[in-house]
Amino acid sequence: MTALAVLAAETPSLVQSVDWLAIAPVVITAAVGLAVLVADLFLPERRKPVLGWISVAGLAAATATLLPLRAGDRSTFCLTGDPAACSYTADHFALVVQFLVLAGALVTALLSVTAVRDARMPAGEYWFLLLSSAAGAALLPASRDLATLIVALEVASLPAFALVGMRRGDRLSSEAALKFFLSSVTATAVSLLGVSFVYAATGSLHLTQVADRLETVPGQLDTLAMAGVALTLVGFAFKTAAVPFHFWVPDTYVGAPLPVAGYLSVIGKAVGFTGLILVTVIAFPAYSGIWGPALAVLAALTMTLGNAAALRQSADRPNSAVRLLAWSSVGQAGYLLVPIAAAAYADRDQIGATVAYALMYAVVNLGAFAVAALVSRTKPLQRISDYRGLYAERPLAALSLAFFLLCLAGLPPGIIGLFAKVTVFRSAVDAGLGWLAVVMAVNVAMGLYYYLRWTALLFRTPETADAPAAAPAKAPWPVTAAIALTAALALLLSGAPQLVLRFATGSLFPL
């Protein structure tokens, strides 16, 4: 008995403690999703709308649990032999991105309450899928090993495929879901191959251990490690809609329900950029000479192609408004890539510019989709020309959309958009990427044209001005609340843009 006691005392415990507060945002979101799915089995059809409000309350509760964690630096699921190597870390960076994800999902849920009812989509399945995807997206920024990163990426992505195809009987919706699914699965398979190469070269999946071991990887494994690094980045580049992994974006946004398109444009990008930051800046700094130039070229190509395609959108073409927002999101992805590329040439504090830009983009882009959801209730063709004279019909909605578009363009009074673009531009200059800063300046000028063209259309005289004006249909209050919330946040941030950069820069890990 004495020998067994001594052996037990000398053997490290394999039982891991769980910090339930640290993982609360993810657990609450997933638990509410499961509760909604089970409740759907027992609720009569006329009571199904309550599922939407349960989901909204669950996302609000998950967002609120971030407050006790604001000090950051909480880790769980750590290796018993190396307590510094953990699979889940709720540092300030993770909390900022989780706030973006959960708050964005909350706005999406507000927009979806009416959309699910009007389109007669299956309520239980819709809310379960949305909450499941949000849980995966919230898990990803706190993930600190490659296996958890890939799992979180797929948990965020797989429900999104089904959400895109939720409009049953709609050919565009089914086609968009299939294209999104096949493209994403291919990208994930390539990333998994890259992860396996990295593991073979380093013998670890934890990001900090991978970073240490890549510094001293044996010469015969160097080519394998380089291939693993390159392939791992592919899946995350797909999620960011970076060229040439962007081709799924326009058709997917057009085929998806509008709230889902808005969700993908913000939360999907947050997932991709967060994963890209984690694997490049934390796991692969030893190979910054490979991913730095590659991301700089991708940034230039992405912003140029996205803005050029947005310029070509015809105002009278069906779905042109959604297509313009889709191509605009591709162009904005190029701007978001700039600070990550700059981190390869300067210090990693450059990443704060990406986080700040992502926060700005999330607020104003969700607001633009919220106004689009309102307009589509009476003009379902979703053409840009349908917005002509919107100010005469719905003044507050028109003013909100104009402000969102000016923020995206980076023009006053959209100060937060200008502030974010200057921050990104400065990160390129500070890193010595003068050519990339020039490309960005040209693309910002291209974006001005199509954003201002749409903005001017809102205040032009309607083509039916001589006809008796019909009273506009009353806007559903959840959609109105989503527009008001995003507009208020955009105004607040434009009044104090330094708050965003301070909030985002404080997220940049000591890791």
Side-chain angles (χ1 to χ4, degrees):
M1 292 297 292
T2 304
L4 289 176
V6 171
L7 181 62
E10 293 179 350
T11 303
S13 173
L14 298 179
V15 178
Q16 296 181 345
S17 60
V18 178
D19 187 340
W20 288 102
L21 180 60
I23 64 175
V26 179
V27 171
I28 290 174
T29 306
V32 173
L34 289 172
V36 164
L37 186 64
V38 173
D40 181 56
L41 299 173
F42 302 99
L43 284 176
E45 193 65 33
R46 60 186 177 81
R47 300 293 301 277
K48 292 296 177 69
V50 75
L51 298 176
W53 296 114
I54 293 174
S55 302
V56 169
L59 288 168
T63 306
T65 58
L66 296 173
L67 290 174
L69 299 172
R70 61 187 181 277
D73 300 326
R74 300 177 73 108
S75 298
T76 188
F77 303 115
C78 302
L79 295 178
T80 54
D82 184 3
C86 302
S87 294
Y88 189 101
T89 299
D91 57 14
H92 196 71
F93 170 77
L95 298 180
V96 170
V97 180
Q98 285 179 333
F99 173 77
L100 188 160
V101 165
L102 294 173
L106 178 59
V107 173
T108 303
L110 286 172
L111 293 175
S112 300
V113 168
T114 305
V116 170
R117 182 194 64 206
D118 293 347
R120 299 184 181 277
M121 290 184 280
E125 290 91 329
Y126 183 94
W127 294 112
F128 169 72
L129 292 169
L130 179 62
L131 289 164
S132 298
S133 180
L139 170 63
L140 193 139
S143 303
R144 291 298 183 270
D145 69 66
L146 292 172
T148 307
L149 270 177
I150 295 296
V151 169
L153 182 67
E154 287 308 289
V155 172
S157 301
L158 289 174
F161 306 146
L163 285 171
V164 170
M166 189 60 71
R167 294 191 302 199
R168 297 174 180 175
D170 187 323
R171 183 184 61 82
L172 285 177
S173 183
S174 302
E175 180 183 336
L178 182 61
K179 183 179 293 187
F180 186 24
F181 172 75
L182 293 176
S183 304
S184 185
V185 165
T186 303
T188 302
V190 174
S191 285
L192 282 172
L193 181 62
V195 168
S196 67
F197 286 176
V198 171
Y199 179 74
T202 63
S204 177
L205 291 174
H206 286 83
L207 302 184
T208 51
Q209 290 186 342
V210 167
D212 292 338
R213 296 177 187 182
L214 283 178
E215 295 281 356
T216 57
V217 68
Q220 65 269 28
L221 295 178
D222 187 57
T223 302
L224 182 69
M226 286 192 292
V229 169
L231 294 174
T232 302
L233 299 180
V234 169
F236 298 104
F238 170 87
K239 289 298 175 188
T240 63
V243 173
F245 312 107
H246 69 286
F247 51 85
W248 57 274
V249 173
D251 290 343
T252 299
Y253 284 23
V254 168
L258 269 176
V260 176
Y263 177 84
L264 291 176
S265 74
V266 172
I267 312 306
K269 274 191 173 45
V271 166
F273 280 102
T274 302
L276 206 56
I277 289 169
L278 291 174
V279 295
T280 54
V281 178
I282 303 178
F284 304 149
Y287 287 85
S288 59
I290 296 175
W291 56 260
L295 290 182
V297 172
L298 282 183
L301 291 175
T302 301
M303 66 177 77
T304 302
L305 190 144
N307 285 311
L311 282 172
R312 296 178 60 249
Q313 297 307 308
S314 170
D316 295 320
R317 181 183 177 185
N319 298 310
S320 57
V322 178
R323 284 189 179 275
L324 189 146
L325 288 173
W327 284 114
S328 164
S329 75
V330 174
Q332 299 287 342
Y335 304 144
L336 285 161
L337 282 169
V338 171
I340 305 177
Y345 299 89
D347 58 76
R348 61 185 179 182
D349 286 344
Q350 303 286 351
I351 300 299
T354 288
V355 180
Y357 199 102
L359 287 168
M360 179 282 298
Y361 174 77
V363 172
V364 299
N365 211 58
L366 276 175
F369 271 100
V371 177
L374 176 61
V375 173
S376 68
R377 294 180 59 81
T378 54
K379 298 172 181 176
L381 291 180
Q382 298 174 0
R383 299 172 300 187
I384 297 174
S385 58
D386 292 337
Y387 291 78
R388 179 178 179 132
L390 181 63
Y391 180 76
E393 182 181 345
R394 297 184 185 274
L396 294 179
L399 289 172
S400 298
L401 179 58
F403 186 67
F404 296 142
L405 293 175
L406 290 174
C407 286
L408 289 171
L411 282 179
I415 301 298
I416 184 59
L418 175 63
F419 183 81
K421 281 183 168 58
V422 169
T423 304
V424 170
F425 185 88
R426 188 176 61 188
S427 72
V429 173
D430 291 346
L433 295 172
W435 68 270
L436 185 56
V438 172
V439 172
M440 180 180 173
V442 172
N443 276 276
V444 169
M446 292 168 61
L448 288 177
Y449 175 76
Y450 62 81
Y451 287 128
L452 290 178
R453 182 179 61 178
W454 193 354
T455 302
L457 201 63
L458 301 174
F459 302 96
R460 294 182 65 181
T461 304
E463 293 179 351
T464 57
D466 296 334
K474 186 177 180 181
W477 79 262
V479 177
T480 302
I483 296 173
L485 179 61
T486 51
L489 281 173
L491 284 169
L492 175 64
L493 296 177
S494 288
Q498 69 278 7
L499 292 178
V500 180
L501 187 60
R502 189 179 303 130
F503 184 51
T505 305
S507 75
L508 289 184
F509 14 123
L511 287 169

